[in-house]
Amino acid sequence: MSRQWWLGSVLVGVVLGVVGWAPQPARAELLPAERFLARSVVSSAVASPSGDRLAFVMREAQGSSVWLLEAESERRHRLLAARSLSAVAWSADGAGLVVEMDQRLAYVPVDGGRPHVFYRLEEGRDEHYRGPDPVVPGAVLVTETEPPFRLARVFVDGRREVLWQGDRRISDFLVNRDGALHWIEEIDGLEKVVRRARPAAPELLRCGFRSACGLLTAAAADRLLVWRRWQGDLWAITEVDGESGAERLLHRDPLGFADLARVKLEPRTGRPLLAVHHTDRMRSYALDPALAATVEALQRRFAGRNLVIEPRPAGRYWWLIELGDDLQHPRHFVYEPAMDRLREVLGAERAAGDPLPDDVLVRRRAVRYRASDGFELHGFVTLPAGRDPADLPLVVKVHGGPWNHVRPGWDPHLQFLVSRGYAVFEPNFRASTGYGLLYTLAGGADFGDGRVQQDIVEGVDHLLASGIGDARRVGIMGHSFGGFSTLGGLAFTPRKFRVGIASAPPIDLVRTIREYDDQATFASGLPLKDLLRRYFFDFEDPATAQAMQERSPLAHVGETERPLLVLAGARDVKVAVADVRHYAAALHDRDHDVSLLVDGRAGHGFDHRLLRRAYLHLVERFLGHHLGGAIGPPADAELVEYLNRNLDLTGESLAAALAVPEGG
C-alpha cells in the first residue's frame, strides 16, 4: 500500500480517506468536571474458555465483587466480594475462577462450592503470579524473580510443583498440551534466550534489543510462534522451526506502520486467532482465514470504534467489548455468529455508572505530518463539534514516558478539554513507542531544547497551517515527561505557547532516569536502564549528562516568559518534589507568574479523587483565563478547602482565574 496518501495534510476519519471537518450542532450545556472522571461500574470482564459465560467485576462502595453472566439466559449471580481485587481469570477447564487479591490467590467454583484462598505469594521469594495454567485445570503458574529462579505450578488444593529451576531470570514459558513445560525464555544480560525446557537443551533463539522476541504459542511440537521485531523494526508474528531455528514472517501490520499490540489465542488449544494493532483505532486481523469475514463484518458494524473481539470458534457465542474516544464506559455484547445475532448485555450495570451521553463526546482524528528534517510523525487531533477549527484555542497535550504513545480510546482529560471549547493536539513525537523500534530510537538523547521538542512544535505549526487553531491562543500541558516538555515549551519557544500546565514534571531528566527502579523493563522484558544506556544515551557519562542538562528547561529558567501552573505529589517516587519546588521558587524569585500545588498524599499517578477534581478545576480556570475556553462554576467548599491547603504558590493569573464567576 502506498504511504503517500498521508503526506502533507491532516487526515481525519478512516485511515484510507480524508473527511472534512463537517460542522455539527453545538451543545450549550456545560457538563460538570466530575462527570468526566466517573468510572464504569464494571471494571473488567472475561469470557469463559467455552464462551458460554462471562465473569465480570463490579466496583462497590466497600470494594469489588465478582459476578457470573450466562450467555443464553443473561442471568447473573454474585460469586465473591472483596475489598481489593487485582485480577480475575478462568481456570483451564472453565469450572472456576482464579482471583488475585493483594498477595493472595483465591479459587472460586462457578457451579457451587465455597471460594477459598489457596496460596499466598511470598515477598521473600519475590513471587509473581503469571495467570492460570492454560492446560492443567485448577492450577496457576508462579515465577520467582530472585535466585534460584523457579517456575512453579500451584494447585487450588494447595499442592506446589516446581516445573523449572535455573540460574537466569525467567521472562516467559510455554506449557505443552499434555501439561509439560515445553519452552523456556530467560534473561541473559541484555538478551533473551529461548530453548526447550529440558536440561542442557541448545539455544533456539537469542534475541537482543533490536532483534527482540517473545514467546507466543507452540504451533506444533516442532514449531514455535513468537513475537518478533521483524527486520529490527515493527513487532510482528513469526514462525520458528523448533530444530533449525529457521524463521518466517506470518503477520505484521497490513498498513505498514504500527506495532503488533496483542494476539488473541484460542483458550483451549493456544491457536492464534486475531492480531490487534493500534492505528487510528484498534484494528483486528483474523489469523485464521475461517474467521476473516466475520471479524471484518463486526468491525464495519462498529465503524470508528475500538472493538475487543473474543472469538470462540468451537462454541456458540463470541463476546465483544465496544470502546472508543467518545464512549466513556464500555458496552458489552454477546454475539452468535451462526445467526449473526448481536445482543447488548450488562446494560443496567453500564447505566448505573451514569456515563456521559454519546452526543457530547467526540472522536480523535489521526494525523501524520513531516518534520523539517523529513521524518514522518504521527499524532491525533480532536475538535469540538460545530465550531470553526481556525477560531479555536489549541492545547498541545504531551504524553508521558517519553517511551510511550497516545492510543485511541477514552481519555477523560481530553474530552473535558474539548467540552470547554479547545482543539487538542496529541503528538506521538519520535522516541514514542507503537510505530516500530526505529521510530523510538530516532529520539535518541535529543530531549530538552532538541529534536523531540521540535517535533512537537512543528506539529503545532502544521495544524495551524492546515487551518486548525488560533495561533494567538496556543497552550501546552502534560504529565511526567509531558510536564518536562511543557516546561521546555515555555522556556525555548515562549512566543509559540501562551500558557503551560505541567504535572509531575521531572526537572532533572538525567537524575530522574538514574533513579529509575533497577527492576524496570521495556515491553520486551529486558532491563530498562541498561538498554537506555546502550541504545539511547549513556546517562552515567559526565559529558552526555552535562550536554542534556545544558539543554534542559532548568538551565533556561530565566528565559521562561509565559504563565505556568505546576502540580506535584509529595510522595512521588519517580520525580523529586524538592526539585519541583526549587524550579517553581526560581521562577517566583524572578517575579514570574507561576503557581504550584503540592498534594501531600499523592504519588506520581495523581489517582486520588480530590486531587483529580482539583486538577480539572485548575485546568479549566487557568486555560480559560488565558486562552478563552468555557469556564464552569467556582469551587465548592470541599475544593476551596483543598486548594487553600495545597497551593504553595498562587500566581497573579491563577488568582484572577479562580476569582472569575461562572461563565465569566
Side-chain angles (χ1 to χ4, degrees):
M1 177 179 291
S2 169
R3 296 165 65 99
Q4 295 178 353
W5 46 267
W6 279 104
L7 307 183
S9 64
V10 177
L11 295 189
V12 301
V14 297
V15 171
L16 296 179
V18 178
V19 181
W21 302 104
Q24 301 176 36
R27 281 183 68 106
E29 180 184 3
L30 198 63
L31 290 162
E34 290 81 1
R35 291 288 305 278
F36 292 85
L37 298 175
R39 298 185 299 171
S40 173
V41 171
V42 178
S43 63
S44 65
V46 189
S48 65
S50 62
D52 58 347
R53 292 167 166 177
L54 186 76
F56 63 97
V57 177
M58 292 270 289
R59 291 190 175 96
E60 299 181 351
Q62 301 301 319
S64 299
S65 57
V66 180
W67 291 70
L68 194 68
L69 175 72
E70 304 286 347
E72 176 66 27
S73 64
E74 296 187 28
R75 288 181 301 182
R76 45 177 64 70
H77 61 276
R78 195 185 202 204
L79 297 175
L80 176 73
R83 295 190 65 86
S84 176
L85 297 177
S86 304
V88 176
W90 287 89
S91 177
D93 57 0
L97 297 166
V98 177
V99 180
E100 185 179 7
M101 303 180 296
D102 297 323
Q103 290 294 104
R104 297 171 300 153
L105 299 177
Y107 182 70
V108 184
V110 296
D111 289 316
R114 293 178 59 84
H116 67 281
V117 173
F118 66 92
Y119 198 70
R120 182 181 296 275
L121 298 168
E122 293 193 21
E123 295 184 7
R125 290 205 297 254
D126 202 12
E127 285 187 313
H128 293 263
Y129 167 55
R130 304 296 292 266
D133 191 305
V135 177
V136 177
V140 301
L141 296 168
V142 173
T143 55
E144 298 174 28
T145 56
E146 294 290 337
F149 301 103
R150 297 188 185 97
L151 166 65
R153 175 179 285 138
V154 179
F155 294 87
V156 298
D157 62 7
R159 290 176 293 134
R160 187 173 187 273
E161 172 190 2
V162 175
L163 301 181
W164 182 261
Q165 179 171 313
D167 56 3
R168 294 173 177 165
R169 184 164 62 87
I170 302 165
S171 53
D172 208 351
F173 47 85
L174 289 177
V175 176
N176 207 348
R177 303 320 300 175
D178 63 3
L181 184 63
H182 195 190
W183 298 94
I184 194 78
E185 178 187 283
E186 300 170 299
I187 302 295
D188 184 17
L190 294 183
E191 296 179 310
K192 294 200 291 187
V193 176
V194 176
R195 57 195 175 98
R196 292 186 187 274
R198 61 191 185 206
E203 296 176 5
L204 178 68
L205 294 174
R206 179 170 281 268
C207 312
F209 185 57
R210 293 181 182 272
S211 61
C213 66
L215 295 177
L216 181 56
T217 187
D222 60 344
R223 289 184 293 123
L224 182 66
L225 299 191
V226 301
W227 298 68
R228 170 69 92 175
R229 282 212 175 275
W230 186 249
Q231 298 176 341
D233 193 16
L234 291 178
W235 281 110
I237 303 173
T238 66
E239 182 183 76
V240 182
D241 184 285
E243 297 301 330
S244 68
E247 191 170 8
R248 67 185 183 95
L249 177 67
L250 290 185
H251 173 88
R252 62 176 169 178
D253 178 24
L255 298 176
F257 65 89
D259 275 329
L260 181 68
R262 65 179 61 89
V263 178
K264 297 285 186 180
L265 303 176
E266 205 286 322
R268 289 181 164 170
T269 66
R271 182 165 57 96
L273 301 177
L274 301 177
V276 182
H277 299 264
H278 293 157
T279 53
D280 61 322
R281 58 180 172 82
M282 182 188 298
R283 292 175 177 267
S284 296
Y285 298 93
L287 299 173
D288 180 346
L291 305 181
T294 303
V295 169
E296 291 169 8
L298 285 171
Q299 291 183 114
R300 285 194 300 270
R301 186 178 293 193
F302 291 86
R305 289 278 171 80
N306 297 331
L307 187 63
V308 178
I309 305 174
E310 291 288 349
R312 295 294 186 267
R316 177 178 172 184
Y317 303 103
W318 294 15
W319 295 86
L320 311 177
I321 304 176
E322 180 189 11
L323 308 167
D325 302 319
D326 56 344
L327 197 64
Q328 185 177 20
H329 298 169
R331 290 191 177 100
H332 297 82
F333 299 86
V334 60
Y335 178 61
E336 296 174 73
M339 294 181 288
D340 191 29
R341 187 169 73 172
L342 187 69
R343 289 180 283 134
E344 184 173 358
V345 295
L346 303 183
E349 288 81 358
R350 183 175 188 273
D354 193 22
L356 289 165
D358 294 356
D359 63 346
V360 306
L361 305 173
V362 291
R363 296 182 185 180
R364 287 181 172 100
R365 311 300 177 94
V367 173
R368 277 194 185 180
Y369 61 97
R370 289 282 183 186
S372 56
D373 62 357
F375 194 88
E376 187 178 64
L377 293 159
H378 301 259
F380 293 91
V381 66
T382 312
L383 302 181
R387 303 280 297 276
D388 180 355
D391 290 337
L392 295 171
L394 176 63
V395 174
V396 183
K397 186 170 175 287
V398 185
H399 71 70
W403 302 285
N404 200 345
H405 64 284
V406 179
R407 300 164 179 82
W410 172 254
D411 181 337
H413 298 157
L414 167 69
Q415 294 293 339
F416 178 72
L417 289 168
V418 174
S419 78
R420 269 42 181 174
Y422 299 100
V424 181
F425 173 46
E426 299 172 285
N428 278 326
F429 42 84
R430 71 192 80 184
S432 299
T433 56
Y435 303 99
L437 182 60
L438 300 181
Y439 197 98
T440 304
L441 289 173
D446 218 357
F447 303 114
D449 189 14
R451 182 66 255 182
V452 169
Q453 190 73 20
Q454 195 173 345
D455 286 350
I456 297 168
V457 172
E458 289 177 357
V460 174
D461 292 340
H462 178 76
L463 291 184
L464 294 173
S466 302
I468 297 173
D470 179 353
R472 300 165 300 174
R473 295 185 294 158
V474 181
I476 184 170
M477 64 186 296
H479 185 81
S480 195
F481 176 81
F484 176 84
S485 177
T486 296
L487 303 182
L490 300 192
F492 310 133
T493 49
R495 295 291 176 260
K496 180 69 63 179
F497 300 107
R498 187 169 172 177
V499 63
I501 301 175
S503 52
I507 305 302
D508 186 337
L509 191 60
V510 173
R511 193 177 81 180
T512 299
I513 292 172
R514 282 176 179 163
E515 295 177 357
Y516 271 176
D517 182 350
D518 288 337
Q519 301 303 313
T521 64
F522 263 104
S524 62
L526 296 173
L528 175 63
K529 290 174 71 172
D530 291 341
L531 291 176
L532 290 179
R533 189 161 39 233
R534 176 173 294 190
Y535 292 103
F536 293 87
F537 53 90
D538 186 358
F539 48 84
E540 300 290 2
D541 175 63
T544 300
Q546 181 178 349
M548 291 183 67
Q549 287 165 339
E550 287 174 353
R551 293 186 302 162
S552 72
L554 181 61
H556 296 262
V557 68
E559 300 164 32
T560 300
E561 301 176 13
R562 298 298 192 180
L564 173 66
L565 168 63
V566 184
L567 302 96
R571 298 183 181 179
D572 194 330
V573 297
K574 294 184 177 179
V575 171
V577 70
D579 286 356
V580 178
R581 292 185 190 275
H582 172 75
Y583 186 85
L587 289 173
H588 181 70
D589 290 346
R590 291 171 168 80
D591 295 322
H592 188 79
D593 185 357
V594 59
S595 301
L596 173 65
L597 182 145
V598 178
D599 186 301
R601 296 183 301 156
H604 193 67
F606 282 26
D607 54 2
H608 73 74
R609 183 190 66 87
L610 197 48
L611 173 55
R612 297 176 75 210
R613 283 194 65 208
Y615 175 82
L616 286 190
H617 182 76
L618 293 176
V619 164
E620 177 183 57
R621 294 251 149 189
F622 198 61
L623 291 182
H625 180 76
H626 290 286
L627 302 182
I631 295 176
D636 57 26
E638 182 184 43
L639 272 182
V640 168
E641 191 278 330
Y642 175 86
L643 295 174
N644 286 338
R645 180 162 35 91
N646 292 285
L647 273 169
D648 286 8
L649 292 172
T650 305
E652 178 182 352
S653 64
L654 181 61
L658 293 175
V660 173
E662 181 175 2

